[in-house]
Amino acid sequence: MWNEQKCDRCGDCLVKCQYVDYPREKAISQIEKLIFGENAEILSECITCCACNEYCPQGADPFELINELQEKYGVLPVPEKTARWMAAGAMVPSEKLEGGDEKPALSLCVMEPMVPSQALDGDLFANMTVLKGGDYFCFLGNIHIGKASPVKENAQRFIGNLAATGAKRIVLFHDDCYAMIKKMPELDIEVPFEAVHLVEYLREYLKSNRDKIKPLDRKIAYQRPCASRFSPELDPVLDDVFELMGVERTDRAYDRDTALCCGTIFSKIYPEKIQSVQQKNMDDMVNAGSEAMVFLCPVCMAGLASLVKQRDRSPIFITELVRMAVGELPFPDPA
Ligand code: SF4
Ligand code: SF4
C-alpha cells in the first residue's frame, strides 16, 4: 500500500527504474506529480514490473501509487482481448483433488495449463491435496494491465476460498499468489492457514531428499518474476535451492534487484518496448555463460521459452530442475 508519510521525495525509485532514463530532478518532479494525483509521464512509461517497491529505501511502495493512477487515468492502451483474457481467470472451472493429510495442500491457481506436465509429476507433489481453477485465482496479474482495484476487491474471495478447503498449510505454486497473501495484513484480512512459497517447499523437499540428489553441476540463468519484488526475503531461499541441486545461478547483469520483467502480459500493450527488453534479457543470459534459463513463474516461461530456445538454451521450470536433481528427469540437451 502506498504510504505518502514514508516518502521523502528522494527520487531513488524512478532513478533506478530500468525502463526510463530519468535524472534525479525529473524523478523527484515525477514523484511529486504522482503525490498530487496528476497524470504524470511515468504512468504511461511504467511497464508494471513492481521493482520500484523494492528500490524504495523507505518502504513507501511507490508502484502501488503508480498502479492506482494508471487505473484512474486509463493510460495503458490494453487490447480488449487481453482484458477479457485477464477477466477469464476467475471463471476457470475449479477442482479440489484430495490427497493425504500428512502433506500440505498445493494451490495451482490457474497455472496448470501453462507449465509442462512433467513440472507437476513425480514424487515432488505426490499425495498432496491439489486446488486448481478460478476459485483459487489471485487477481494480482491485473496490475500488469494497469488495474489495481480488482486485486483489492477480490482479496477476501481469494483467501476465503483457500481457507474453505480446510487446509492448514498451503503451498502457493504461483509467485503471484504468495505476493497476494503478503498484501493481506495491509487489507486487514486474516489468513487462517500457513502460506508456503514454492521455493520454501522446494528447499524443504530437497533437504529431506538429500540422499537422492545427484548434483547437476550446471550454470543456469534465473528469470526473476515481478511478483518476487513483494517477497525479496525469499531470494536467499532460492540460492539455497540452487546450491542443494549443485547449480550455479549465473551472475547476470539482470538478476536479483536488476532483474528484467519477462514482459509476457505487457507485450500486448507496448510490443516494441518489450521486444527490446526481452532481447537484452536473452543477450545477458548468453553472455553470463548460462546453459539454460530456469523459471519460477509459468507466465514468464510462456513468454520467454521460445526466445530462450532461439539462443540454443533450454527453458526449464524450477520444479522440473528439482526433479532433474533427484534423478527423475534427464537434463535436456541444448534446445
Ligand atoms: S517512493 Fe521511496 S524511493 Fe521513491 S521518492 Fe519516495 S522515498 Fe524515495
Ligand atoms: S514498476 Fe517498474 S517500470 Fe514501473 S516505475 Fe516502477 S520500476 Fe519502473
Side-chain angles (χ1 to χ4, degrees), residues 14 17 19 42 46-52 55 63 66:
L14 299 186
C17 171
Y19 311 96
I42 187 63
C46 164
I47 71 157
T48 69
C49 79
C50 313
C52 46
Y55 297 152
F63 174 66
I66 290 171

Side-chain angles (χ1 to χ4, degrees), residues 2 6-13 31 56-58 60 62:
W2 162 245
K6 287 187 178 174
C7 175
D8 61 8
R9 277 77 157 163
C10 68
D12 278 1
C13 48
I31 279 290
C56 173
Q58 308 300 335

Side-chain angles (χ1 to χ4, degrees), residues 121-164:
D121 292 343
D123 181 55
L124 186 56
F125 302 122
N127 302 319
M128 288 169 78
T129 292
V130 175
L131 315 170
K132 56 182 176 178
D135 286 353
Y136 311 108
F137 180 59
C138 75
F139 290 83
L140 194 81
N142 280 276
I143 62 176
H144 300 302
I145 59 167
K147 284 195 186 302
S149 60
V151 179
K152 287 182 193 153
E153 286 162 7
N154 290 285
Q156 182 62 65
R157 171 195 188 271
F158 171 63
I159 293 298
N161 287 344
L162 287 171

Side-chain angles (χ1 to χ4, degrees), residues 200-234:
E200 293 176 306
Y201 178 71
L202 296 180
R203 183 171 67 174
E204 274 174 28
Y205 177 82
L206 287 166
K207 281 187 173 174
S208 57
N209 287 278
R210 276 180 196 274
D211 54 324
K212 294 187 194 157
I213 298 174
K214 296 181 184 69
L216 291 167
D217 193 22
R218 300 280 178 172
K219 294 181 174 186
I220 301 184
Y222 175 57
Q223 172 61 35
R224 188 176 181 218
C226 295
S228 293
R229 304 288 183 172
F230 296 95
S231 55
E233 71 280 4
L234 291 176

Side-chain angles (χ1 to χ4, degrees), residues 223-224 226 260-265 274 278 281 299-300 303-304:
Q223 172 61 35
R224 188 176 181 218
C226 295
L260 289 175
C261 174
C262 70
T264 308
I265 298 175
I274 292 302
Q278 290 177 332
N281 198 354
V299 182
C300 296
L304 293 179

